Amino acid sequence: MTALQRLFKFHGGVKPAYNKEASTGLPIAVAPTSTRLVIPLHQSIGGMPRPMVAAGERVLKGQRIGGADGNVSSAVHASTSGTVVAVEMRLMPHTSGLSALCVVIEPDGRDEWIPRQPFDFRSATPTQTRDYLRDAGVVGLGGAVFPSYLKLNPGKQGKLDTLVLNGAECEPFITCDDLLMRERAATILDGAAIMREMLAAGQVLIGIEDNKPEAIAAMEIAARAANAAAREDAFKVVSVPTRYPAGGAKQLMRVLTGIEVPHGKRSTDYGLQCFNVGTAYAIYEAIALGQPLISRIVTVAGNVGKARNYEVLLGTPMRDIIALCGPLPDSDRVIMGGPMMGLLMPDDSVPVVKAANCVLVGSKKLFPPPPPEMPCIRCGECAKACPSDLQPFEMYWFSRAKIFGKAQEYNLFDCIECGCCAYVCPSRIPLVDYYRFAKSEIWARETEKEAADVARERYEFRLLREEREKQEKAAKLAAKTAAGREKAAVALAEAEKPAVTPEQDAKKALIAAALERARAQKEQAHPENVSNLTPEQQAEIAAIEARRAEIREMAKPHLRQDD
């Protein structure tokens, strides 16, 4: 029996056809290693990891090939042993069709691991444990791929009331979490126990949609064992109603606890944190086995003959695992993720990455072309279906008119892009596409603004530095001038002192004779260019000499007035 837990409703949601039966008939299989693995360095939210290997280098399975860069980043590892044949730009699994830096590995067939050992997180500080998980490359495997080490922080209170494990998996066709819970429930809860200890959480609620009875049963058995081992009743499996998008983190926390995390707030401020069940499994492997994240469970479904779940090495070309399932002849597209939130791939050669919970093969029969877009009639159906309590039609108007500031005022960035609004829209408007366009434009403008701010700050700093250097030079010149004047005054005072010894008299006589000779030579010297001058030129020279004499007099502040 599932735990008796009061459930709450979230606003909106839809009930599409789930199409999960085809891929749940067989257990998880291990996909064979491909002849080439293309591992993108950027596989999580945040900064791109820096490459740590070069072409020609041999790597071992689990060896770090990309180091985390920045506060929000996560490391990347070699999925098997082999030789790095290139570190170059390759096509990314994204609708844009853009390329990114990848490490291409040619496997040697040995599948040789790096030395592995468990990490004693109880003896380590929380920061050391989080750094270890960052370097192990553990990210959220529910699709968001947010670095997990950043979420393993209990927040200001130092503890949590509830740790939520997300086993809802609400999107159609996707069953990787369902099969994982059926087959590896005990390991998932071992990972949850580690997270619970790190977060000092009081209880662990495992939310699973009620259309997964086998997964619920398996997790209940594991939960009873975990509770018996801990001698408490901390782990609870809760069956939640099947309604898309119940698997959204905020929606699931709302259903299980009744707490609605407001916009701009962290769930830890309300004593909650949510992780996908696959993430809990990966954390256990990293902490207890010393294995970084190099593979994941992937559902291959859609227009294929044998839909199934595979454990796939990261970097495996999608076409290789599609071939295992027998794609049908009329297949015309590949989608990473489900039909509601998935991304259309540029082609089937792109690699499996940490975000690839499903590889969905499509066809015109399975996903007919949408009818032509009609004008918005402001019926409000999209607002009724929105699980985030937004007003999609208002965001649509402002996004379409490129009035992005107003779109933000309607909380555009609270949209989780679940697609419920577009699903119920009678005008068949691809609303989510408009929101994604608006978000990308806002991000681009923010990036440009940040770049302009940085350039302006650098320019102002340069002006400040130049002004400071100018003032320093003036101060040094003034100090040097003052020192020279002081030195001249001392020398003059010494010269005016009466001689007290015959040696000093002789020295003064020599100096006086030298000055007299210099004066005589100067008087005898007659520049050749001053002969045959006109009266006007002579007058001009006389005026110049007069000004020189005047300047010399002004340059003698050290002389006494009576001189």
Side-chain angles (χ1 to χ4, degrees):
M1 295 290 290
T2 54
L4 294 177
Q5 179 81 18
R6 181 187 176 189
L7 298 180
F8 301 83
K9 292 182 179 179
F10 64 88
H11 180 266
V14 295
K15 286 190 174 183
Y18 284 94
N19 296 305
K20 292 177 180 285
E21 299 79 9
S23 59
T24 54
L26 296 171
I28 298 171
V30 177
T33 304
S34 298
T35 54
R36 286 283 175 97
L37 299 178
V38 180
I39 304 174
L41 289 174
H42 194 218
Q43 294 197 46
S44 65
I45 291 175
M48 176 183 289
R50 59 187 184 283
M52 300 177 67
V53 294
E57 190 174 335
R58 184 170 186 272
V59 294
L60 297 178
K61 185 176 184 177
Q63 179 178 332
R64 197 150 39 120
I65 58 176
D69 191 21
N71 293 328
V72 183
S73 184
S74 187
V76 181
H77 303 77
S79 304
T80 187
S81 61
T83 304
V84 176
V85 296
V87 180
E88 61 185 16
M89 303 294 283
R90 289 292 187 97
L91 193 63
M92 284 289 289
H94 191 268
T95 307
S96 64
L98 296 175
S99 299
L101 194 62
C102 299
V103 176
V104 184
I105 296 176
E106 186 174 80
D108 58 11
R110 300 178 185 173
D111 209 28
E112 184 178 355
W113 270 99
I114 57 171
R116 291 167 289 170
Q117 58 183 5
F119 180 79
D120 186 3
F121 71 99
R122 294 186 178 89
S123 300
T125 65
T127 301
Q128 289 172 334
T129 304
R130 286 193 285 270
D131 289 348
Y132 173 81
L133 290 172
R134 177 198 63 198
D135 293 338
V138 179
V139 301
L141 296 181
V145 289
F146 191 83
S148 298
Y149 71 93
L150 292 171
K151 293 176 65 177
L152 285 169
N153 190 331
K156 300 176 183 177
Q157 299 176 355
K159 62 179 182 179
L160 296 180
D161 297 327
T162 304
L163 169 63
V164 174
L165 274 194
N166 189 345
E169 198 175 50
C170 55
E171 184 146 12
F173 288 99
I174 305 176
T175 59
C176 58
D177 290 345
D178 186 359
L179 269 290
L180 184 70
M181 288 187 287
R182 293 188 194 187
E183 299 182 12
R184 307 176 190 180
T187 307
I188 293 171
L189 291 193
D190 287 341
I194 293 172
M195 290 191 291
R196 181 195 174 209
E197 194 167 337
M198 292 180 64
L199 296 169
Q203 63 175 350
V204 180
L205 298 181
I206 306 135
I208 307 174
E209 279 191 316
D210 55 14
N211 62 351
K212 304 177 181 61
E214 294 89 349
I216 292 173
M219 293 297 285
E220 284 177 342
I221 294 172
R224 282 196 290 270
N227 287 331
R231 297 182 179 179
E232 54 184 345
D233 192 22
F235 295 87
K236 299 175 183 176
V237 177
V238 183
S239 174
V240 301
T242 300
R243 187 174 184 82
Y244 177 82
K250 285 188 176 181
Q251 284 71 35
L252 186 60
M253 287 190 287
R254 162 74 179 168
V255 170
L256 293 177
T257 66
I259 297 174
E260 190 162 351
V261 181
H263 169 68
K265 298 291 184 180
R266 296 181 177 179
S267 61
T268 52
D269 296 338
Y270 298 85
L272 299 172
Q273 189 57 285
C274 182
F275 289 89
N276 177 266
V277 290
T279 309
Y281 184 84
I283 287 177
Y284 172 81
E285 286 198 322
I287 296 287
L289 306 179
Q291 294 184 182
L293 182 58
I294 59 168
S295 66
R296 67 155 300 145
I297 310 299
V298 181
T299 302
V300 185
N303 199 45
V304 296
K306 299 179 293 182
R308 191 170 184 179
N309 283 277
Y310 289 91
E311 183 162 7
V312 185
L313 294 178
L314 301 177
T316 301
M318 288 186 181
R319 68 160 69 99
D320 289 0
I321 57 173
I322 292 173
L324 298 173
C325 298
L328 301 180
D330 59 339
S331 301
D332 61 356
R333 77 197 76 172
V334 176
I335 299 169
M336 186 176 77
M340 302 294 286
M341 300 180 69
L343 299 174
L344 182 64
M345 296 292 99
D347 63 42
D348 60 1
S349 67
V350 294
V352 170
V353 292
K354 296 175 183 177
N357 53 0
C358 178
V359 175
L360 186 60
V361 181
S363 68
K364 291 181 180 177
K365 182 180 179 182
L366 187 61
F367 302 119
E373 179 181 336
M374 303 293 287
C376 174
I377 58 175
R378 290 185 175 270
C379 62
E381 289 299 317
C382 53
K384 295 178 184 175
C386 179
S388 300
D389 287 325
L390 302 176
Q391 297 183 40
F393 57 90
E394 296 286 4
M395 297 195 303
Y396 157 70
W397 283 111
F398 291 121
S399 299
R400 179 170 180 167
K402 299 183 180 179
I403 308 174
F404 301 124
K406 293 293 290 184
Q408 282 185 279
E409 290 181 10
Y410 281 91
N411 300 317
L412 172 68
F413 284 93
D414 276 0
C415 172
I416 60 173
E417 301 179 12
C418 63
C420 290
C421 53
Y423 184 82
V424 301
C425 178
S427 296
R428 302 301 181 189
I429 301 173
L431 295 165
V432 177
D433 292 345
Y434 284 97
Y435 308 150
R436 287 174 176 164
F437 164 73
K439 288 179 180 178
S440 63
E441 286 294 311
I442 293 170
W443 286 329
R445 293 183 183 187
E446 288 291 329
T447 302
E448 292 176 1
K449 182 178 180 301
E450 289 177 4
D453 289 343
V454 170
R456 178 178 52 77
E457 290 175 1
R458 286 179 177 173
Y459 175 71
E460 292 175 352
F461 178 75
R462 192 186 73 180
L463 293 180
L464 183 65
R465 177 173 54 81
E466 290 176 349
E467 180 63 24
R468 187 186 69 238
E469 291 176 351
K470 186 177 177 181
Q471 292 177 357
E472 289 174 353
K473 285 181 180 179
K476 287 180 180 178
L477 182 60
K480 186 177 180 181
T481 303
R485 287 176 177 173
E486 185 178 357
K487 187 176 179 181
V490 171
L492 182 62
E494 287 292 330
E496 291 176 347
K497 287 183 180 177
V500 294
T501 62
E503 291 76 10
Q504 290 177 337
D505 284 339
K507 189 175 180 181
K508 283 190 174 183
L510 290 174
I511 293 173
L515 291 174
E516 183 62 25
R517 287 195 299 274
R519 187 186 60 77
Q521 290 175 355
K522 186 176 180 182
E523 290 179 351
Q524 293 175 0
H526 184 71
E528 297 179 354
N529 60 349
V530 297
S531 59
N532 301 322
L533 297 178
T534 63
E536 292 78 9
Q537 290 174 328
Q538 292 178 353
E540 186 177 358
I541 292 174
I544 292 172
E545 291 297 335
R547 287 200 297 274
R548 284 180 176 172
E550 184 180 356
I551 291 171
R552 289 194 194 97
E553 291 301 322
M554 294 172 65
K556 294 180 180 178
H558 56 280
L559 294 178
R560 295 191 298 270
Q561 295 297 323
D562 53 358
D563 291 339

